[in-house]
Amino acid sequence: MVPLGVSSMVFHEYTTPEIFSSVSRAGLDAIEYWIETPHFWLRDLPVHEVVTEHKNHPEIKTLTVHAPILDLNPCSINPDVAEVSLEYAARSIEMAGQMGARVITLHPGRRTAKRPPGEADFARFARYIAVVRETAQKDSIKVSMENMEPIVNSLLCTPERMRKLLDDEPWLYFTLDVAHALSKDDEEPLRYIELCGDRLANVHISRKDGKTLHMPLDRSPVMAGVMKALREIGYRGPLTLEIDDLNFGRPLSAEEKIAILSRDRIFMQECME
């Protein structure tokens, strides 16, 4: 069966034990643990706590990791920002390996100015890839690059650009962010799957509502179509709900979040059978 999971950031304000418990209560069997989960990020990155909670919840069979991205940009024009971003990318791969994760997802970075990327930006991206390549070769974990929204300063936001990167870097895998692709049009996730599905290691799945991304699936026909395409290519990697809990207009309780995840889990099970 395809592992069905959720990003730890849905439970942004909770402790690591509470996050694992909530994911289990939602009936999910996978979790993508963000390095920037506050209970982890702000407490000197206690890898052992994640390892312990994973052992305490054998029903959560699959663990993936998301590298830090919120204040970081490996392609920044500021050399200090770029350098610390490279350091955290390499460190995150090592931590993911220590946690026993199957996949780690990275973001590609962006041009600092809101202008189309130029030669200098792609040179910084090439240096980033070289650092990640060197670290990735020391571990068996799959390092997976995520597609971004098609905005003006994005370096990696088309199926064709992702395919070229994968062809140039045969060690690298692909994380499909469905909502990012949907921000172009409803067919874009299918184009990514068709062109890059052979290297797909993780799928961040969520719905778009107007200009709002990362909404629950809510039995959307578009989401059903994406999962049908994944099923047809034989995808067996994690299907990771990436829902922004701030999109609901009010704070949600843990029980409300678990109920949303449970409903989406049932829908995913039906679509992936």
Side-chain angles (χ1 to χ4, degrees), residues 196-211:
C196 306
D198 61 313
R199 302 279 282 282
L200 195 54
N202 193 8
V203 175
H204 292 164
I205 189 163
S206 60
R207 181 174 54 88
K208 181 188 75 165
D209 184 7
K211 293 184 178 180

Side-chain angles (χ1 to χ4, degrees), residues 231-268:
R231 192 175 68 246
E232 288 176 346
I233 67 165
Y235 176 70
R236 307 305 294 171
L239 199 57
T240 306
L241 289 163
E242 193 175 69
I243 298 169
D244 186 346
D245 64 326
L246 297 182
N247 285 337
F248 294 88
R250 64 175 179 83
L252 299 180
S253 68
E255 296 299 325
E256 288 174 310
K257 293 179 181 182
I258 290 167
I260 290 167
L261 298 177
S262 296
R263 288 195 294 270
D264 276 357
R265 170 185 55 79
I266 292 169
F267 178 48
M268 291 192 293

Side-chain angles (χ1 to χ4, degrees), residues 12 14-17 33 36-43 46 49:
H12 185 273
Y14 295 92
T15 67
T16 296
Y33 198 85
E36 288 161 315
T37 300
H39 188 249
F40 182 82
W41 184 247
L42 300 176
R43 295 171 53 252
E49 290 186 0

Side-chain angles (χ1 to χ4, degrees), residues 7 29 43 46 58 76 80 100-102 105 112 152 162 169 183 211:
S7 164
D29 63 358
R43 295 171 53 252
S76 175
D80 293 332
R102 177 184 297 185
T105 291
T112 303
V152 65
M162 181 63 75
E169 305 293 339
S183 62
K211 293 184 178 180

Side-chain angles (χ1 to χ4, degrees), residues 159-174:
E160 294 77 15
R161 175 77 182 106
M162 181 63 75
R163 182 71 253 177
K164 183 179 186 307
L165 176 64
L166 296 174
D167 288 342
D168 290 344
E169 305 293 339
W171 55 273
L172 187 64
Y173 291 85
F174 168 43

Side-chain angles (χ1 to χ4, degrees), residues 10 28 35 85 123 125 133-134 137 141 144 176 181 209-210 269:
V10 173
L28 297 163
I35 299 295
S85 300
F125 180 71
R133 184 195 304 120
E134 181 179 358
Q137 290 173 347
I141 190 170
S144 193
L176 170 62
D209 184 7
Q269 287 172 332

